[in-house]
Every structure is written in C-alpha cells, then in structure tokens.
C-alpha cells in the first residue's frame, strides 16, 4: 500500500499527536537481536550437576529473525540455552509470559554446538517495566533434566545486534 504525500503527512502528524502512553511499549523478548540482562543467576542445574556456583550474573535473550527465542545462561565459560518458538509465547500468571521449549542448546564461549530435544517452558516477566523480574526455565529430555533461574535487578537491559 502506498500513501500519497498528504496522507503520509496526516498519518505522521497523528502519530506525533498521540500521548506518550499510547506509544507501543517495548516487549520482551522482542524483535530479532540480543538482549543482555544483569542480575543474579539463582540456579543452573543440568541433570544432577549443579552449575549454580559458577553461573554468571548475566543472561542473554536471543531472538532470531524466524522467531526462535533462546535464553542463555553461562557458567564457567560454558553456555546452556533454553530454546523455543516465540510465536508460542502465551500469558501466564502474575503478568508473566510462558515460552514452550523444544530444545536445550549447549556450547562453550559464544559457540552453541550441541542440542537436545526437550519438553518444558520458560516463564518470564518484562524487564522493560523497570522492576525486578524472574526468568525461570525447566525442561526434560528423555535422558536428563535442565533448570535455570535468573532474577534481574530491575535495571534497563543492554541491547545488541
């Protein structure tokens, strides 16, 4: 659809006239890219191995162009990603949302090389609201279980590409 110059000007003026509260709020996980949250890694467990002690106090949320969302926890240089299709995100209790999981990915540093099919979910709040939120993920494969829990401090997030 093409807008004529007068129609485009009218639309632009109407958008500028909207009150700030009518502007679309930032959503989480959001558009394709990387968001880094700071806070406290409360729990990171793979099968019977508890990696919480070495867990970094940052969590990455990666959204791909195809809508796949991955929450990545890191501990002692190793990464554990909880991955699901962002189109499956549904509202959950207390203003949170829930992402159904299909894979847990593993890697070292910035390279994710392993993947395990799982069933599970991540429940999370919106860090753009300016208050502390929790991101809690649980998943099970046929051979193992995975748990990650992270709490933000309520500060704004860092965005990357």
């Amino acid at each position: 659809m093409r807008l004529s110059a007068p129609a485009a000007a009218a639309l632009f003026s109407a958008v500028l006239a909207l009150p700030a509260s009518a502007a679309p709020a930032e959503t989480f996980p959001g558009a394709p890219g990387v968001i880094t949250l700071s806070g406290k890694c409360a729990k990171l467990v793979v099968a019977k191995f508890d990696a919480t002690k070495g867990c970094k106090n940052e969590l990455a949320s990666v959204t791909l162009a195809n809508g796949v969302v991955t929450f990545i926890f890191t501990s002692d240089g190793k990464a554990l990603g909880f991955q699901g299709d962002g189109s499956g995100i549904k509202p959950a209790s207390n203003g949170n949302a829930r992402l159904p999981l299909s894979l847990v990915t593993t890697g070292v540093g910035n390279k994710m090389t392993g993947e395990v099919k799982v069933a599970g979910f991540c429940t999370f709040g919106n860090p753009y609201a300016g208050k502390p939120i929790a991101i809690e993920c649980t998943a099970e494969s046929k051979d193992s279980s995975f748990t990650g829990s992270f709490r933000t401090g309520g500060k704004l997030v860092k965005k990357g590409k």
Side-chain angles (χ1 to χ4, degrees), residues 4 9-10 18 21-22 24 36 41-42 49 55 62 68-69 81 102 106 109 115 121 128 140-141 145 149 151 159:
S4 66
L18 288 174
S21 62
T36 305
C41 179
F49 179 73
C55 190
V62 179
V68 169
V69 174
S102 57
T106 58
E115 56 181 51
F121 56 86
Y128 293 111
E140 291 190 14
S141 70
S145 62
S149 179
R151 299 203 180 276
K159 290 185 179 181

Side-chain angles (χ1 to χ4, degrees), residues 19-136:
S21 62
E26 293 240 38
T27 59
F28 179 74
V34 178
I35 298 170
T36 305
L37 303 170
S38 60
K40 173 95 175 111
C41 179
K43 187 175 188 180
L44 186 60
V45 178
V46 177
K48 294 182 181 178
F49 179 73
D50 189 342
T52 305
K53 188 175 180 181
C55 190
K56 196 172 177 184
N57 288 326
E58 284 189 340
L59 176 107
S61 170
V62 179
T63 302
L64 301 179
N66 65 1
V68 169
V69 174
T70 308
F71 293 114
I72 303 173
F73 293 77
T74 56
S75 181
D76 296 324
K78 296 181 179 129
L80 184 69
F82 293 86
Q83 184 176 90
D85 181 350
S87 69
I89 294 174
K90 302 275 188 248
S93 62
N94 299 326
N96 290 324
R98 181 174 277 188
L99 169 70
L101 300 172
S102 57
L103 289 175
V104 165
T105 57
T106 58
V108 177
N110 292 331
K111 294 196 185 248
M112 300 302 271
T113 55
E115 56 181 51
V116 177
K117 288 185 180 187
V118 297
F121 56 86
C122 289
T123 302
F124 54 93
N126 186 350
Y128 293 111
K131 59 184 181 183
I133 63 150
I135 296 171
E136 298 179 341

